[in-house]
Structures are given as C-alpha cells and as structure tokens.
Amino acid sequence: TQLLEQSPQFLSIQEGENLTVYCNSSSVFSSLQWYRQEPGEGPVLLVTVVTGGEVKKLKRLTFQFGDARKDSSLHITAAQPGDTGLYLCAPRASGGGADGLTFGKGTHLIIQP
Amino acid sequence: SAVISQKPSRDICQRGTSLTIQCQVDSQVTMMFWYRQQPGQSLTLIATANQGSEATYESGFVIDKFPISRPNLTFSTLTVSNMSPEDSSIYLCSALGARDEKLFFGSGTQLSVL
C-alpha cells in the first residue's frame, strides 16, 4: 500500500500571494494527476504529469513532477479567490491504467479577497 | 470529454432505509467508479462498476452494504443499504475517459442519515 501525503492540509492566504502545495510518497509512479474540487461539485482534472522532472503550466498554476517520480508540487502565483477549493493529487502506479484512482487527503485552499 | 449526471443531488434519509443513486454518462465509457467523500475529507474509492458482471469492491466495502449495478456502458447505480448516520457522506460517480485516463466526476449525492 502506497503512503501518500499532501501538505499543507489547510491553507488560507490573501489574494495576490503565492503558495505551493506538495504531494509526496515513498513509491514511484508512472504518472500523477492534480484535481481541483469546488464545493458542491466533483473534482476536475487540472493536469497530468508523466515524465520525471516535468514542469507544466496552466496560467498561474505551475505543476512539477519530481525527478524520481515520487513527488509533485503545485505552485500558484498571485492567488485569486477563484482558486479556492480542495486540491487533490492522484498518482497512478505502473500498470494501473484502468484502475480507480487513489487520492491524497487533499489541501483545502482558501483565498481571501 | 464526458458529462456525468448524478441523482439525487441530495437526500435526507431515515436510519435503516436504503437509497439508490443513479449515474448517467453522456457517452460510452469502459470504466465507471463510485467514491465516497466524508465531510471535509478526500475521496475514497468504494468500487469499480463492471458492465455485465459484479462490481469489484475495495477493502472495507462489501456488496451487501453497497450493491452496484451497471447494465450498460453509460449507466450505473449505487445503493446504500440499511443506512446509519455513519453513512452520511457525499457519494460520487466517476468515469474514465477513453484517451488520457482522465477521470470525470458527477456533482455528487449528498446523503444525510438521521
């Protein structure tokens, strides 16, 4: 069983600040996905990272996959109230292509105007 | 992409009763899953809904408590049986996209058991 840790669990910051959320494990993953969930909705995929060291940008969001493919980070620049939500990482182990995803415990992010 | 419609969106039920949640996908998908999300928590996979055969349950979840049907490639139901207050949670249906292993989710069913 993989041990998956997300940190911080809760984060409340002011609009315009920067923040980084982390997803760490002792296991190696073939890929990792980040989802964002807003209240009353299901999670929505933000990005999939596949290659060790890969960096992907989605507007003000920057996602990085660790070189060893055991960890990932999500950095938000100049956070806005619309970024508020639950951020979930979901790694996929090798050969787990058609399995349901296991999600981290998530980071509850609140951006105060 | 896939659009998932889930109903009911919320319900309040009495202890000992059962509730069936329906999930409709607007396109044929190979894999469908049911998740539970307890208040303020992350998602926990309940089971994989297999088309034409019995669902595959994760550890801690059993068919008698959470019977699942999937009669075709676009529809599935989850029943929460003999409910207790501990079953109060959000139940989410999801489907795996064919191309990039992206999971699509319904908006969830918020269940409260009194």
Side-chain angles (χ1 to χ4, degrees):
Chain A
T1 302
Q2 66 196 34
L3 182 63
L4 188 64
E5 295 184 352
Q6 266 190 259
S7 61
Q9 187 175 359
F10 296 98
L11 184 60
S12 178
I13 62 172
Q14 294 295 124
E15 180 177 1
E17 294 183 17
N18 303 331
L19 66 111
T20 303
V21 174
Y22 300 92
C23 177
N24 297 297
S25 176
S26 57
S27 301
V28 177
F29 302 115
S30 62
S31 64
L32 186 144
Q33 296 180 328
W34 284 93
Y35 289 77
R36 179 171 66 207
Q37 184 181 23
E38 298 183 17
E41 300 294 330
V44 175
L45 179 67
L46 296 174
V47 77
T48 301
V49 287
V50 179
T51 306
E54 181 178 6
V55 176
K56 282 191 174 180
K57 290 193 175 184
L58 183 66
K59 296 183 180 178
R60 294 175 293 100
L61 278 59
T62 301
F63 303 85
Q64 184 164 7
F65 202 14
D67 291 340
R69 304 203 316 277
K70 294 182 179 182
D71 54 84
S72 181
S73 65
L74 158 59
H75 182 78
I76 301 179
T77 303
Q80 298 178 3
D83 296 326
T84 294
L86 175 64
Y87 288 80
L88 298 157
C89 70
R92 189 178 294 284
S94 300
D99 295 337
L101 290 175
T102 297
F103 288 86
K105 291 188 175 182
T107 294
H108 294 266
L109 176 63
I110 297 174
I111 309 300
Q112 301 181 20
Chain B
S1 64
V3 176
I4 299 179
S5 301
Q6 196 174 326
K7 60 180 182 181
S9 58
R10 61 179 63 233
D11 207 343
I12 300 173
C13 301
Q14 295 296 321
R15 180 196 300 262
T17 62
S18 298
L19 175 72
T20 295
I21 303 168
Q22 298 182 3
C23 177
Q24 179 73 55
V25 189
D26 69 342
S27 58
Q28 292 187 349
V29 292
T30 53
M31 308 296 293
M32 292 182 71
F33 308 96
W34 287 96
Y35 285 85
R36 182 173 72 185
Q37 185 174 30
Q38 295 181 308
Q41 303 296 316
S42 183
L43 281 70
T44 300
L45 181 63
I46 297 173
T48 301
N50 300 309
Q51 192 264 328
S53 65
E54 190 172 289
T56 305
Y57 290 85
E58 297 297 308
S59 176
F61 298 96
V62 295
I63 188 171
D64 290 346
K65 177 65 176 178
F66 298 102
I68 288 171
S69 78
R70 190 174 173 199
N72 56 53
L73 291 176
T74 64
F75 185 78
S76 179
T77 67
L78 168 73
T79 298
V80 186
S81 303
N82 188 25
M83 288 183 286
S84 67
E86 292 72 32
D87 295 321
S88 297
S89 190
I90 297 172
Y91 293 86
L92 292 146
C93 169
S94 71
L96 193 64
R99 292 187 178 181
D100 57 2
E101 301 180 351
K102 170 181 178 178
L103 270 185
F104 297 90
F105 285 87
S107 295
T109 296
Q110 184 163 356
L111 171 63
S112 297
V113 183
L114 305 178

